[in-house]
Structures are given as C-alpha cells and as structure tokens.
Amino acid sequence: MKIVSLKNQNTTAPIELWHKLINSDLRDEDLAIGLSNIYKLHGPSVTELVMESYCPNKCQHCIYPPDYHHYSKSLSEDEWANSLNYLYKTAGLRRFVYSGRHTLKKHFQILNGFKKKFPDIRLGIIADANELEPLIEDLIRLRPDWVDISLDGLEKEHDFQRMNEGSFRKTIENLHLLRALRVSEKINILTCLTNLNKQSVLDMIKLLNKDGFTNFFISPLTIVKGYRPDPNLMLSAEDFTSFINTSIKEGNNLIDAYVAIDIYEANYAQAIQLLQPDIFNNFLFSGEHLEYTFKTGDNEIYVNFYPSSLTGLRECIVNSDGCIIPPKVMAMGEIPDNLIFGNILNVESNKNIFQDTLVQKRV
C-alpha cells in the first residue's frame, strides 16, 4: 500500500521513518536495510506472553488451530520465571501483556512473583471473563494495571462466534464482579469484528457504556491465507468502512467513551483509502502507527493502522514453548524455523535478539 497523502506533523516517530521509506524510490534491498535500521533504533514496547499452548474454547475467529498444543509445549513454572527475569534484566522490557490462551492459576502465581520482584513493570491481562471467575482471589493479589475482557457482540452473535451458549450472560455477570471487586484500575472490552457480529457490536458498546464501561477496542478479523480463521468471516471493504462511519456517528450517543478500531491488515487500510479518503487523508503519525481521531463531547473514537513491517516495534511475542515469534504465525500450528527468532531459554548472550531479525520474519 502506498500512502499518498498525510498531514504534516513534527515527529521523529518510527511511523514517520516508515512512511518516508515506503514512499521512496528505493530498491527492495535498500528498503529492507532502511526498515532494519528503524528496528536498531527502536525496540519493542510491549511483550505478549502466551503462557499456555492448550485452550478448551472453540471461538470461530481464533487464529490458533485447535491442536496447537500438539506442536508447542508449555514451559514449566521455573522456566517461565527465568524467562521473565531475562526479559526484564537483559532485554530491558517493562510492559507485559498476558494473553494466556487458557488462563490458569499457576500463571497468576508466576506473574505475581515477577511483579513483586520488579514492581516497576506494567502488566495487563487478556482473558475470557468466565475463566477468571474461579481465579478472582489470585487476580486481586496480582492487581494488574489493566484487564482486557473479550466480548464479541450481543448475546446471540457473541455466543455463536464463541460456539458457547450462555457465554455472553456469564461474561456480563463477571464483568460486574471484576468491577465491583476493583481488580484493576482499568477494565477494557476487546472485540474481534467479523461478518458474524458486525450488526451487533455497536449495540453491545452502547449497552455496556450505559452500564458504566467506557473503554472499547475493536479489531477486524486477521487471517493467514491457507490457515485460520475462515476468510469468509472477514468483512468486505464496504462493510468495514460502513462500520467505521456508523461508529463515528454513534459517538454522540456514548458517555465518556474511548473507542479504538485497531487495524493490522493492509487491506482494511486500503478500504479506507478507497472508500473513506476523508479519514485516510487525515491520518497522523503516532509512535509506530497511523492514527485518526474523532472527538465528540467527552467521547473519543480512534482508527489506528499498525503496518505489519513495524510489528516488532509494537510487540514481542513469547510463545508457550519459549520461542520468540511474530504475529499470526501461530495459525500454522507447527511454526517453521525460518519464522522463529530464537528461544527465550537460549538467548542470554544475545541482547539484540529483538532487533536482529524482527523486520525480516513476518507473515
């Protein structure tokens, strides 16, 4: 995708360097060198921890294959503790997101020990609220800086997309429980936007917003061609841009809301460029992404595009077996060696593992 119009903004952010490179006349080899140089100047800002390879859920939008645990073992408690110690001391990382796959008590115990040892870290939790219910006491002890709860539309659409009848009502109950117990200063709602729930996501946001929830993060479906999820679940360009327009219009009906539509696929950005140029031409540089902001009253609506070639500046993913991997490759099940940067158990002597190959290995 070639960006032809962006507002000027004084910044030295990685996204500005990226923008200059992709709009240059450089040869592919020189372009790759330029992108590599961005990685040498800027390391990842957050580490995603996939601490368990097995998941009992059957969500239709999930990028992980059901038999993922056959290909990726899970590290022991001691191995995870040592790995986290490395990520803090040697790699210098301070912001972590637990995306668990399957949330377990032992994970919270490991993270609790990590947080007590290094109290300056920032730790977020991504989870199915129903899995958190039996772990409430552990979550209270952990006191994460934020908790992201997955909810994919209203009851009918959410339960169908999750292939789990009753999941919606249980999730709403547990959202109230998490808030009442003040397990975290911030509780966010995460939604995967698909053809299954595109008609109910905004109604879900309005429902929860009236109930006092204010932070919503929506990502259109991500797929890996030939793997998961089913490409038929992906929105058309017309449906996606219509969703954005309706979200902006509905902003007036929200109360103190923060709504972010986060894009990780170039085809969605191209849809905006072609069908909604007024938004596309008003993207601004922000860190490692492009950002469009619409404010109405006390509400903020964001459309953010994260280019795949800058993925490693946003996050470093540590898989359940300790392998450091780029986004989306887990869809393959057995991840090819050429898409693995290294293993966290074997990198003590390599402080630059995150900068060395992140720009080259991506799907």
Side-chain angles (χ1 to χ4, degrees):
M1 180 186 66
K2 190 176 182 67
I3 293 179
V4 295
S5 177
L6 278 173
K7 283 190 171 181
N8 292 325
Q9 186 179 21
N10 294 325
T11 176
T12 56
I15 190 64
E16 183 177 14
L17 300 175
W18 170 87
H19 174 250
K20 290 178 180 178
L21 283 171
I22 67 166
N23 285 287
S24 70
D25 295 323
L26 290 174
R27 298 176 304 168
D28 289 345
E29 311 90 87
D30 295 328
L31 180 62
I33 293 172
L35 289 171
S36 296
N37 286 334
I38 296 178
Y39 276 76
K40 291 177 181 178
L41 293 172
H42 305 276
S45 58
V46 61
T47 305
E48 179 181 344
L49 306 171
V50 184
M51 297 183 75
E52 173 63 39
S53 60
Y54 171 74
C55 180
N57 298 320
K58 299 178 181 179
C59 306
Q60 296 193 58
H61 62 270
C62 184
I63 197 169
Y64 290 84
D67 60 350
Y68 189 69
H69 55 289
H70 293 163
Y71 302 102
S72 295
K73 69 170 187 176
S74 296
L75 300 182
S76 68
E77 287 92 329
D78 287 343
E79 286 174 326
W80 268 118
N82 292 335
S83 298
L84 293 172
N85 188 70
Y86 166 83
L87 291 168
Y88 181 94
K89 287 189 172 181
T90 307
L93 294 164
R94 297 292 182 270
R95 189 177 176 89
F96 298 84
V97 175
Y98 166 79
S99 63
R101 285 264 293 147
H102 180 32
T103 307
L104 298 174
K105 183 181 184 72
K106 64 180 180 180
H107 297 162
F108 285 176
Q109 292 174 336
I110 295 166
L111 293 172
N112 193 31
F114 180 49
K115 196 174 182 184
K116 286 183 177 180
K117 189 175 182 179
F118 304 113
D120 61 325
I121 68 166
R122 298 277 293 172
L123 175 65
I125 302 295
I126 300 176
D128 180 332
N130 302 330
E131 288 194 337
L132 289 179
E133 185 177 10
L135 302 173
I136 287 294
E137 292 184 4
D138 299 277
L139 190 60
I140 291 174
R141 281 192 289 270
L142 182 60
R143 290 292 178 188
D145 295 288
W146 70 93
V147 176
D148 295 338
I149 298 300
S150 300
L151 195 63
D152 295 304
L154 292 176
E155 183 171 5
K156 178 182 176 181
E157 292 78 11
H158 170 88
D159 287 0
F160 183 62
Q161 185 158 310
R162 293 303 185 97
M163 301 294 286
N164 185 3
E165 187 176 354
S167 173
F168 177 85
R169 293 190 181 187
K170 194 69 174 176
T171 299
I172 296 298
E173 291 175 8
N174 287 323
L175 272 170
H176 289 144
L177 178 62
L178 293 172
R179 184 172 61 183
L181 294 176
R182 298 182 179 180
V183 299
S184 177
E185 294 180 3
K186 184 179 291 186
I187 297 177
N188 307 316
I189 308 300
L190 300 189
T191 300
C192 180
L193 182 65
T194 72
N195 271 326
L196 301 177
N197 64 11
K198 62 187 178 185
Q199 300 297 337
S200 76
V201 168
L202 294 178
D203 288 333
M204 176 204 76
I205 290 175
K206 286 187 285 187
L207 176 69
L208 290 173
N209 184 243
K210 287 181 181 179
D211 202 15
F213 294 95
T214 58
N215 299 319
F216 303 89
F217 295 84
I218 304 158
S219 298
L221 184 76
T222 293
I223 66 168
V224 176
K225 188 175 181 180
Y227 296 95
R228 285 176 59 93
D230 183 346
N232 291 320
L233 297 179
M234 180 175 281
L235 272 69
S236 67
E238 292 78 12
D239 284 346
F240 179 59
T241 52
S242 175
F243 179 85
I244 292 176
N245 290 331
T246 306
S247 298
I248 291 173
K249 291 176 183 176
E250 292 290 342
N252 292 317
N253 299 320
L254 301 176
I255 302 171
D256 192 28
Y258 179 103
V259 180
I261 302 171
D262 294 328
I263 304 167
Y264 301 100
E265 299 277 3
N267 60 319
Y268 292 120
Q270 289 173 332
I272 297 173
Q273 183 181 27
L274 293 173
L275 302 177
Q276 204 65 56
D278 55 322
I279 292 178
F280 188 87
N281 292 333
N282 283 281
F283 270 126
L284 296 176
F285 301 117
S286 180
E288 77 290 359
H289 68 281
L290 300 173
E291 178 180 284
Y292 171 83
T293 307
F294 177 82
K295 295 183 179 181
T296 175
D298 56 1
N299 303 303
E300 297 180 2
I301 313 293
Y302 290 86
V303 180
N304 303 314
F305 172 49
Y306 297 85
S308 62
S309 53
L310 291 184
T311 295
L313 300 185
R314 183 176 68 255
E315 62 181 351
C316 157
I317 301 176
V318 183
N319 192 29
S320 59
D321 59 359
C323 287
I324 301 169
I325 58 175
K328 301 196 294 182
V329 299
M330 58 281 294
M332 300 175 179
E334 186 173 8
I335 303 171
D337 289 342
N338 67 330
L339 291 175
I340 296 173
F341 306 138
N343 192 288
I344 198 69
L345 301 179
N346 305 313
V347 295
E348 289 81 358
S349 61
N350 184 4
K351 296 182 181 181
N352 298 317
I353 188 171
F354 304 107
Q355 289 83 9
D356 286 345
T357 56
L358 279 171
V359 73
Q360 299 167 350
K361 296 182 179 180
R362 60 183 186 275
V363 174

